[in-house]
Amino acid sequence: MNFTNLQMQIEGIPKIEDVVLKPISKSYFKIITLNKFAIYAVLIGLAFLLKYVIEEKEDIQINIWYILLVVLVFCVINYTVGLLAFKKRKYAIREHDVIYSKGLIVHSMVTVPISRIQHVEESRSWLARHFGLSTLKIFTAGEAGSDLSIKGLPHLEAKQIKEIISDKINGIN
Amino acid sequence: MELTDFSQPIRQSSKGIIVIFAFNVFKFFKKFFVLFIAFGLSLIRRKSFANITPTMMLLGFIGILLLILVITILKYLNFKFHLSKDDFHLSTGIINKDTTIIPKSKIQNVYIKQNFLQQIINVVSIKIETAGDKKSEIEISALDKPTALLLKKQLFHKASANDETIDSISEPEVFFKVTPKRLLLEGLSQNHFKSFLLILTFVFGLYNEFKDFLIELELKQRIDDFIKLDEDTILSLLITNVFIILSVVLFSLLFSVVKTFIINFNLEVVEHQKTVEINKGLFNKVSLSLTPSRIQNLVIKTNRVKQYFGLHSLSVKQAMVNVKQQKNFNIVALEKVQLNYLLNKLLLNYNEDESVTAKPRPYFMLISTLEMLFFGLVINALFLFLFGKDLLWINTVLIPFASLYVYFAYKKAYYKISDQFITIGSGVVDTTTNILETHKIQGIKIKQTIFQRRRDIASVVISTASKSVKIPYISKHEALSIYNFLLFKVESQDKDWM
């Protein structure tokens, strides 16, 4: 492709490939697991409810094990994908930007230049507080999807990053 | 011309009472519309409702109108605004007094609008938009035009305080004015495909309903004949269908033409020293100004037919403008030369031919083909369900269309990246060109699905404050170098995005 022309003159510019991305805190997986298990419990409950309601009405015997098997297989696949996808959740802070990558099936990597950040927010859910984690939300201008939300950062680190970014934004202004 | 002094708190023109009154009555009726219908129906049926006679209803109705009028007058009396050196002050409220102060430097846009009623009584409304949520919009609904223009000028005064002299030298000139003929062409040459499909499904739905109705009327015999498809009925069926399709086409044509005329009536582009002003509209006259520094994306649209007539439309996406307003920043029926001139005015040093064109990988075609395949399957299932096997010949039409779709989609997809600009081309029936300045970028994303990883393909999504654009399906290596290059551009030059 013709793009190589540009490559020559931009040889020296920093490469995103060279950045070592840092995985988010391992204990965040516990939160994911808890959330997922709650959903699975609801699903299995629904399967039983469905059997009960249908048998009441239609007088047909339904083998609950088949339905349960389908639900279970779904849960196992979902959990495995969740586990593998968790390993893809990585972030990095560079001098001028914040990088966050995630996703197994659709992998994406977003970079937001710090000079474009409007404000930073650090929020903690009830569960996250128990594990000493917090979520870092980064907002840019406009509604177009360039906002970042990094979940599962260690609380202290999130605070530090927030401070660093805040300082930089204010430094520019 | 007597100049209005804005430094003292003033009210809007007394005609404003009419505008606010009409607006409030309209709002009231809209809110209680269902209730009114219910009341009316029960009145007709029983002549009275819970001991309320029609006379009492009428009295109540007049009472409500009077109440609205009183509220309107109070609102009018309490609505005062004035300008200080740096701020715009507005106080409103009958019981709860509200005072809003907007620093001039935070004002994003000032629109002048004139709806049908305002056109009759010859006033305009002025709308002040700030960055931030929708609530922070301010509308003064009745001012005479010179006052409004003066107010607008004074609101923008602070921003251009330094080059005051330059602004007063050059008179604004009307750069582009649309002729009715070109508007007609614009309306005719629009992409009718979508509206056509919409109306077609609507008509077919009606047709099906009607068929059920016929069956209910015990005309089953005739329907059976109909389905048997004798020579005669085939012909009549064909004629009916052709007739339906033709009328749908005509209808959608008419619809587009009328719509284009109403929205873009007397479209005018006025060139000022720094900004570009758009005036247009038949029932709702609007006047908007574009400030180059606030523009985030430019989208140029044309199609084969339009290209033949030299019609291009340019829509300008500004930061933090609400969706309804966004539609108004659209200039239609531009000649190529005028388009280029405007582009140069809005984007400094934009030169299309400067940079090299690159295309997505052929993988793009694979995805388009899959999309079309899916679309075809849905259509087939629908037809099978609705009409049985008889109409499966539709595939002989569908397949060439799908191939053309894939061909054109790939042919029209390209991207160009230069030091200052990103240009992305796309479209199938339309030819769409997206232009944005590199320093307006808010964030960049690289996307790759698990299937694309094996082929080493990725997409880049570039977000600005008003829109995201995508460079689809290029090689991973290239995607990364674009990513790095754009980030470098944004971060190394200390340019503001607004």
Side-chain angles (χ1 to χ4, degrees), chain A residues 85-159:
Chain A
F86 176 76
K87 289 179 181 165
K88 296 276 178 186
R89 293 190 188 214
K90 288 174 180 174
Y91 69 96
I93 315 287
R94 290 200 292 187
E95 227 176 301
H96 294 288
D97 48 31
V98 183
I99 306 163
Y100 182 49
S101 81
K102 66 169 197 287
L104 176 74
I105 293 166
V106 181
H107 182 257
S108 71
M109 180 162 68
V110 187
T111 304
V112 175
I114 289 176
S115 60
R116 297 291 183 265
I117 294 174
Q118 295 292 313
H119 79 275
V120 202
E121 195 182 298
E122 182 223 340
S123 71
R124 313 179 74 192
S125 67
W126 173 81
L127 210 56
R129 265 202 303 276
H130 273 262
F131 290 104
L133 298 176
S134 50
T135 301
L136 191 72
K137 288 180 183 162
I138 293 172
F139 297 93
T140 60
E143 58 240 271
S146 52
D147 293 347
L148 267 186
S149 156
I150 306 178
K151 288 171 184 160
L153 285 176
H155 179 51
L156 270 178
E157 202 171 335
K159 247 185 157 172

Side-chain angles (χ1 to χ4, degrees), chain B residues 6 82-83 86-89 102-105 107 109-110 126-128 140 148-160:
Chain B
F6 290 115
H82 72 274
L83 282 173
D86 299 319
D87 308 305
F88 174 81
H89 299 254
I102 303 175
K104 279 185 188 173
S105 58
I107 292 172
N109 278 306
V110 178
I126 190 162
K127 204 170 188 177
I128 300 168
I140 304 172
L149 286 178
L150 192 71
L151 179 62
K152 183 179 175 179
K153 205 172 168 189
Q154 299 227 346
L155 283 173
F156 277 127
H157 202 64
K158 170 86 203 313
S160 54

Side-chain angles (χ1 to χ4, degrees), chain B residues 412-431:
Chain B
K412 289 186 177 177
Y414 71 90
Y415 65 91
K416 288 176 186 179
I417 292 169
S418 71
D419 266 12
Q420 286 180 52
F421 303 102
I422 302 166
T423 313
I424 298 172
S426 62
V428 183
V429 180
D430 285 335
T431 307

Side-chain angles (χ1 to χ4, degrees), chain B residues 150-256:
Chain B
L150 192 71
L151 179 62
K152 183 179 175 179
K153 205 172 168 189
Q154 299 227 346
L155 283 173
F156 277 127
H157 202 64
K158 170 86 203 313
S160 54
N162 301 328
D163 33 41
E164 200 178 326
T165 41
I166 307 169
D167 219 32
S168 54
I169 290 171
S170 71
E171 274 293 297
E173 60 174 299
V174 177
F175 154 72
F176 170 71
K177 203 172 160 103
V178 80
T179 56
K181 188 187 150 209
R182 287 182 70 80
L183 264 190
L184 182 72
L185 284 176
E186 170 76 29
L188 284 176
S189 60
Q190 252 168 40
N191 182 359
H192 298 289
F193 213 59
K194 276 179 204 155
S195 52
F196 176 73
L197 274 182
L198 206 76
I199 296 171
L200 196 70
T201 41
F202 180 70
V203 169
F204 263 117
L206 275 186
Y207 183 70
N208 268 3
E209 292 279 313
F210 195 56
K211 220 163 77 179
D212 289 347
F213 187 62
L214 283 182
I215 293 167
E216 261 179 38
L217 282 175
E218 295 183 4
L219 288 170
K220 204 166 191 293
Q221 187 60 43
R222 272 175 77 178
I223 300 288
D224 280 344
D225 286 348
F226 203 58
I227 290 166
K228 260 184 219 153
L229 300 176
D230 303 329
E231 294 257 314
D232 272 4
T233 37
I234 284 191
L235 197 69
S236 73
L237 186 71
L238 210 68
I239 288 172
T240 332
N241 279 343
V242 165
F243 181 73
I244 288 174
I245 288 175
L246 269 183
S247 47
V248 167
V249 166
L250 265 178
F251 189 72
S252 61
L253 269 180
L254 201 71
F255 183 71
S256 311

Side-chain angles (χ1 to χ4, degrees), chain B residues 273-418:
Chain B
Q273 185 64 30
K274 275 188 169 169
T275 60
V276 173
E277 190 184 305
I278 307 172
N279 300 317
K280 64 179 180 179
L282 181 62
F283 297 125
N284 251 319
K285 280 191 188 169
V286 284
S287 163
L288 320 145
S289 37
L290 298 171
T291 320
S293 64
R294 290 191 178 127
I295 294 168
Q296 305 293 321
N297 295 57
L298 287 175
V299 183
I300 303 163
K301 262 191 186 164
T302 183
N303 59 36
R304 258 297 152 76
V305 186
K306 280 186 185 175
Q307 233 161 21
Y308 177 76
F309 291 121
L311 299 165
H312 302 260
S313 65
L314 173 72
S315 66
V316 181
K317 314 267 182 219
Q318 298 198 92
M320 285 170 286
V321 173
N322 64 39
V323 186
K324 208 175 143 199
Q325 208 60 252
Q326 196 80 266
K327 277 189 211 144
N328 281 327
F329 290 98
N330 206 346
I331 310 170
V332 295
L334 283 165
E335 295 266 11
K336 183 85 182 160
V337 188
Q338 293 165 330
L339 176 76
N340 284 340
Y341 183 80
L342 256 187
L343 276 184
N344 262 317
K345 173 92 185 173
L346 298 176
L347 307 169
L348 282 176
N349 317 320
Y350 180 70
N351 190 355
E352 238 181 300
D353 315 315
E354 184 187 83
S355 45
V356 267
T357 310
K359 282 189 86 63
R361 303 298 298 271
Y363 179 79
F364 185 95
M365 284 198 276
L366 182 71
I367 294 290
S368 305
T369 313
L370 285 177
E371 268 170 23
M372 276 291 110
L373 213 61
F374 180 71
F375 176 69
L377 277 177
V378 169
I379 289 274
N380 267 319
L382 206 71
F383 269 72
L384 212 61
F385 179 68
L386 281 179
F387 308 106
K389 279 179 192 161
D390 296 334
L391 263 172
L392 282 185
W393 56 264
I394 196 89
N395 279 324
T396 53
V397 184
L398 223 56
I399 290 169
F401 261 112
S403 328
L404 278 180
Y405 173 92
V406 174
Y407 172 73
F408 277 114
Y410 185 64
K411 199 187 162 201
K412 289 186 177 177
Y414 71 90
Y415 65 91
K416 288 176 186 179
I417 292 169
S418 71

Side-chain angles (χ1 to χ4, degrees), chain A residues 61-87:
Chain A
Q61 284 291 319
I62 294 174
N63 198 339
I64 186 70
W65 300 113
Y66 284 127
I67 302 177
L68 267 189
L69 194 72
V70 171
V71 172
L72 273 181
V73 166
F74 168 78
C75 291
V76 168
I77 291 174
N78 185 285
Y79 193 75
T80 326
V81 169
L83 178 67
L84 290 174
F86 176 76
K87 289 179 181 165

